[in-house]
Amino acid sequence: MYEVHGQPDADEEASASAEKQDSGESRDVFVEDEVHQIQYKTLSWQSVSLLMIAEIVSNGMLSLPSALAVVGIVPAVILIVFLGIFGLYTAKLLIDFKLNHSNVHTMGSDAGYIMFGPVARELLAFGTVAFAICGSGSELLSSQQALSTLSNQGICSMYLVIITGAVAFMISLPRTLGRLAWMGLLSAGVIALAGFVAMIGAGANPVPGRSLTITASSNFYDAFLAVTNPVFAYAGMNFVMFFILISEMRRPQDAMKAAWCLQVFATIFYAIFSIVLYVYIGNTVQSPALFSLPPTWSKATFGIAIANFLLSSLLNLSGSSAGLYTHTAAKLVFVRIFRHSKHIYSHTLLGWTVWTLLCFAGVAIAAILAIAVPIFSYLIGIAAALFAAWYTYGLAGFFWLHDVYHLKGGVDGIKRRPIGTTLAVLTILAGAFICVAGAYVSIKVSVRVFASDIHLSNQ
């Protein structure tokens, strides 16, 4: 008898139907066995929360103060709080889906197949890898900006990306996330310290005659462009982390504790950091916000933050900060190739060769995109709109509808839950809106920047 998380279902026929939709393997992707040389299920919920904080908060906070300058303090703070609550809700839907389908390892490879079949499986798997690579490249760019500031632009940007890419490759090599858990603790501490130093620097050097905006009227394009970063900062978390991290937890049932820890910390930290920097700098605040600080404070903050940029660039578990992204992209492909084989659990030559090549390829492609594509930072926004919006928001609603339909009595089960059904549908619509609006804004910005670059090159 199949079982919804915490509640057995009496409808065995619906249960059997749901079981058939498993992606070919109904057992957990990582089977626990003492004879295995590589043990995956080692993460505690505390470690998971720290890894998610390291993956999300590092880059997300740097662009938030500039959003306040466009839409105003009150709307921006309301949006930050709303996204935190919304992210917690969608995290609950993702976690419940994972607990109901223990074989799910990634959004694309497994969850997509269960819900929509083989075509969706490949499409979502491609989206997962593509977004992870873009996220990794984004983190490499952040590292490059920090190093450029520290060196007074004395080192070629290309070399800086290559250096951070090499570090990222080395850190992404451990096969299990448990071996990276200590980095989550270090990175979370670095994030908090960098944020406090930046706030102290802004408070000690307020901009004379600065102007502040409480609320502002703006056109749709400018307003959505301003809030793109907070929207996708929250989006990256669920998409990149949850399924892969939960698969390596000792107690997957504790995953919601990690989600609570992340969202409470991220929401409070985002709000305080963005308000403090905006209040002391005003409407001239730049993005990233650290560039608005005096040179000494900017270097001090970047000097602290660089440790986190490097760590997250290399952790690369698969999402918004580059760090956890590469690991995720590599692990998705690796598990697809060797699922339930000895190469997953043993130190085989073939297994390590393939794993090393996948990690190297992920970092190399991210570095090449970051170096060779002038509008790469805008392409990241397009990728986030097309993939992360659906993976975090839209698909979460489908998860709920799928499991209620198959495990709770079909259409009648959905009708008996009007509130849950309404929230699920609204979640799907929100994902669709963010996808379309985000893609529109990102493409428009990319076209403008590209046209501007061409104009300048012709002069």
Side-chain angles (χ1 to χ4, degrees), residues 255-299:
M256 200 60 204
K257 296 178 182 178
W260 271 101
C261 184
L262 166 69
Q263 293 295 6
V264 170
F265 175 85
T267 301
I268 294 175
F269 190 80
Y270 278 164
I272 294 175
F273 178 84
S274 56
I275 291 173
V276 170
L277 261 69
Y278 178 65
V279 166
Y280 284 108
I281 297 174
N283 289 331
T284 59
V285 64
Q286 300 179 51
S287 178
L290 301 187
F291 288 139
S292 299
L293 299 175
T296 301
W297 285 97
S298 179
K299 289 182 179 181

Side-chain angles (χ1 to χ4, degrees), residues 101-222:
H101 306 272
S102 61
N103 64 305
V104 170
H105 177 243
T106 62
M107 180 71 73
S109 190
D110 301 311
Y113 185 89
I114 291 175
M115 290 192 300
F116 306 119
V119 175
R121 178 185 193 180
E122 303 307 327
L123 178 63
L124 294 180
F126 169 79
T128 301
V129 174
F131 183 74
I133 296 299
C134 287
S136 182
S138 173
E139 198 72 18
L140 294 178
L141 283 178
S142 296
S143 301
Q144 176 263 312
Q145 288 178 333
L147 290 172
S148 293
T149 300
L150 293 173
S151 65
N152 292 320
Q153 285 73 43
I155 304 177
C156 176
S157 297
M158 181 182 69
Y159 294 147
L160 295 178
V161 172
I162 293 175
I163 291 171
T164 56
V167 178
F169 169 67
M170 295 301 296
I171 295 181
S172 65
L173 281 177
R175 292 266 289 273
T176 65
L177 297 178
R179 294 186 176 276
L180 301 177
W182 66 271
M183 293 183 185
L185 176 61
L186 176 60
S187 184
V190 167
I191 292 168
L193 179 59
F196 283 123
V197 170
M199 287 187 283
I200 293 172
N205 300 274
V207 175
R210 61 193 177 280
S211 60
L212 303 177
T213 303
I214 304 302
T215 60
S217 58
S218 179
N219 59 53
F220 171 80
Y221 171 79
D222 291 333

Side-chain angles (χ1 to χ4, degrees), residues 236-251:
M237 177 271 295
N238 289 340
F239 156 59
V240 173
M241 306 288 304
F242 269 155
F243 285 155
I244 286 182
L245 283 172
I246 297 173
S247 295
E248 298 192 29
M249 289 183 67
R250 290 194 295 266
R251 280 183 48 81

Side-chain angles (χ1 to χ4, degrees), residues 11 401 404-406 408-417 421:
D11 192 339
L401 293 174
V404 169
Y405 179 84
H406 288 286
K408 287 289 188 177
V411 175
D412 289 338
I414 293 176
K415 290 180 178 179
R416 290 195 300 268
R417 296 165 176 80
T421 300

